[in-house]
Amino acid sequence: MKTEFSLAQLADPDIAEADKILRACVHCGFCTATCPTYVLLGDELDSPRGRIYLIKEMLEKNRPPTPEVVKHIDRCLSCLACMTTCPSGVNYMHLVDQARARIEKDYSRPLPERLLRAALAWVLPRPGPFRAGMILARLVRPLAALLPSPRTASATPTSWRRIKAMLALAPGRLPAPGPSGGSVFPAEGERRGRVALLQGCAQQVLAPRINQAAINLLTRHGTEVVLVKDEQCCGALTHHLGRDDDALARARANIAVWLAEADRGGLDAILVTTSGCGTVIKDYGFMLREDRDFAAAAAKVSALARDITEYIGGIDLRPTQQRGDVVIAYHSACSLQHGQKITQAPKELLSKNGFVVKDVPESHLCCGSAGTYNILQPDIANKLRDRKVANIAMVKPDMIAAGNIGCIVQIAGGTSVPVVHTIELLDWATGGPRPGLN
Ligand code: SF4
Ligand code: SF4
């Protein structure tokens, strides 16, 4: 794609990066076929190619974002299916990240939406307030029926509709909190490795059982696990809301505490059980490339970051019994398959450890979770969830496995089949408790 940035514009490293990305696009349109919003809405401007044109216009002309641009960028899930499909290697992720940051800086949203976004950006990364918010949401959920509802589903939802979606996502009950930062779990027997395990923010409130399963499995197989003190949310949630100052501050804080831990006790890896977070941590090196004080450290942290299944793939697991009678539908989280290009390892681990693993039809399509997307764009998100659940039902599973808490919550909202994390199943196969019973 031909671009017309001026030399002065190209002096800005972000614009230079956007220029490189835009020039790689040959506007072939292959990406449209796998884009969930194009598949659902059929509008070119809700396809990757359409969005690329909108972003190009906005950046090239240095124009403030128009409501039209904001509408179509907001509808993008950042699922990155387009990056998997693109034959030219267009880095849509870095382009749309830049567009979201520009929108956040230069566009004035209606006040109720600004307040809702600010509340999400403040509450979600903080486990204490998030827990309190979930309890409050559960209490006021019966009142949700009194909130005004649009007659038809809309691709531009009202604030009431978004609040209703948020209340609907609150769980019936919250589990007790898991172990706190600073905890160390020694390896059983001879120590073969030492890792930090990302505590996560929403996940540690909604499903501490996931990291517990990871700790159980790792320590059982000779890996010491550290929950690093003073670790924060990885920044993914605010990054996807375009609030880059917040996201980068969190990245810097995490880099400092993780590398201090690595200096103190050694770290073979920083393990992540939420693939949405893993994708962003692996991108810290890029996000902080212009920060003289942090660029090298950020690259080091990105190189240490591993999805839990990547690390487990290098361990000789010792299954205690075969689960050949349990059929697992493997839901490939977008952040894992498109963001990190991890597609086979989780399925191979499950089959090697005795489960019958089934691929889900249309597995490239997002389930609609996508960070805060299922709150901010609930009608599109619900359609994607229903489509995902219908596809999953076709393989008649006993359980559904996924590697991302957002997907687990989203899919569980549309099915009675237990939805569990891949690591919970692997823990079960190697001596841990059966998941999906609570
Ligand atoms: S597939 Fe890639 S090159 Fe083709 S239009 Fe989409 S982003 Fe551009
Ligand atoms: S990230 Fe997903 S929703 Fe956004 S343009 Fe790409 S395929 Fe479409």
Side-chain angles (χ1 to χ4, degrees):
M1 183 181 284
K2 193 166 168 292
T3 58
E4 289 171 358
F5 290 106
S6 67
L7 285 176
Q9 281 178 304
L10 290 170
D12 174 341
D14 284 340
I15 294 293
E17 186 62 32
D19 181 61
K20 197 172 87 191
I21 298 167
L22 290 165
R23 280 174 178 269
C25 177
V26 294
H27 36 94
C28 61
F30 288 173
C31 51
T32 56
T34 56
C35 170
T37 53
Y38 183 75
V39 169
L40 283 188
L41 304 170
D43 182 341
E44 171 75 13
L45 293 180
D46 284 314
S47 78
R49 185 171 58 180
R51 292 184 176 115
I52 287 170
Y53 274 115
L54 292 175
I55 298 170
K56 176 180 184 288
E57 277 291 296
M58 175 175 74
L59 297 180
E60 220 171 45
K61 307 265 164 40
N62 201 15
R63 283 192 194 136
T66 62
E68 187 73 355
V69 171
V70 174
K71 179 171 83 176
H72 295 293
I73 299 300
D74 280 356
R75 285 183 191 165
C76 170
L77 294 131
S78 278
C79 69
L80 311 181
C82 47
M83 284 179 63
T84 298
T85 314
C86 176
S88 299
V90 171
N91 194 323
Y92 177 83
M93 176 172 87
H94 289 157
L95 193 65
V96 81
D97 285 349
Q98 204 177 130
R100 291 192 202 283
R102 174 73 72 110
I103 289 169
E104 186 60 24
K105 192 158 70 69
D106 292 346
Y107 183 72
S108 181
R109 296 179 186 274
L111 182 64
E113 192 179 347
R114 280 212 306 275
L115 293 175
L116 178 62
R117 282 174 176 264
L120 291 172
W122 194 83
V123 172
L124 290 178
R126 294 174 170 82
F130 180 59
R131 173 175 285 276
M134 286 291 103
I135 293 167
L136 186 66
R138 207 178 59 207
L139 293 175
V140 302
R141 194 160 48 185
L143 303 177
L146 304 176
L147 295 176
S149 285
R151 279 206 195 93
T152 52
S154 160
T156 313
T158 62
S159 293
W160 289 123
R161 177 73 190 88
R162 287 170 168 153
I163 289 169
K164 261 185 155 174
M166 193 162 57
L167 295 178
L169 286 169
R173 72 184 177 84
L174 283 180
S180 51
S183 307
V184 178
F185 300 87
E188 291 173 20
E190 186 198 342
R191 190 176 102 177
R192 298 197 187 93
R194 187 172 193 271
V195 298
L197 180 66
L198 180 81
Q199 292 149 74
C201 41
Q203 178 173 286
Q204 67 171 275
V205 175
L206 296 172
R209 62 175 204 270
I210 294 173
N211 269 5
Q212 192 56 59
I215 293 167
N216 294 347
L217 181 143
L218 289 164
T219 52
R220 193 182 299 132
H221 291 85
T223 298
E224 180 167 297
V225 181
V226 190
L227 305 183
V228 177
K229 199 165 167 6
D230 296 330
E231 180 189 280
Q232 303 197 9
C233 162
C234 68
L237 287 162
T238 47
H239 182 52
H240 291 143
L241 287 168
R243 297 177 174 236
D244 272 4
D245 288 347
D246 180 282
L248 293 178
R250 291 179 184 283
R252 290 186 191 98
N254 282 336
I255 289 165
V257 295
W258 286 334
L259 292 186
E261 181 62 41
D263 284 345
R264 223 176 2 252
L267 285 180
D268 300 315
I270 298 163
L271 299 189
V272 187
T273 53
T274 304
S275 57
C277 308
T279 305
V280 169
I281 297 169
K282 287 182 176 181
D283 204 37
Y284 275 3
F286 176 83
M287 289 161 68
L288 288 164
R289 70 197 183 287
E290 296 296 327
D291 184 325
R292 247 192 263 157
D293 297 331
F294 273 87
K300 198 167 167 185
V301 160
S302 289
L304 275 173
R306 296 268 182 291
D307 182 72
I308 185 79
T309 53
E310 285 181 286
Y311 187 82
I312 300 278
I315 294 179
D316 219 0
L317 292 188
R318 299 184 297 270
T320 52
Q321 49 187 306
Q322 293 294 304
R323 303 287 174 194
D325 53 336
V326 182
V327 176
I328 304 293
Y330 176 71
H331 163 71
S332 200
C334 295
S335 40
L336 209 50
Q337 63 166 324
H338 305 305
Q340 300 182 47
K341 307 292 180 220
I342 297 172
T343 53
Q344 299 307 313
K347 289 189 287 184
E348 284 168 8
L349 278 168
L350 288 169
S351 334
K352 257 180 30 197
N353 286 282
F355 295 99
V356 177
V357 182
K358 302 268 185 181
D359 281 321
V360 174
E362 292 191 328
S363 61
H364 61 282
L365 285 185
C366 180
C367 66
S369 166
T372 53
Y373 193 91
N374 50 3
I375 295 171
L376 296 172
Q377 301 287 341
D379 297 314
I380 300 176
N382 284 352
K383 280 187 189 154
L384 288 171
R385 182 199 60 200
D386 294 346
R387 190 167 176 145
K388 180 64 70 185
V389 167
N391 276 319
I392 289 172
M394 288 169 80
V395 304
K396 299 188 173 53
D398 298 308
M399 290 189 196
I400 302 160
N404 189 50
I405 182 69
C407 309
I408 291 172
V409 171
Q410 173 79 349
I411 295 170
T415 177
S416 56
V417 179
V419 193
V420 300
H421 195 286
T422 309
I423 195 68
E424 291 182 274
L425 290 169
L426 295 171
D427 179 42
W428 179 31
T430 56
R434 181 188 171 107
L437 294 177
N438 45 9

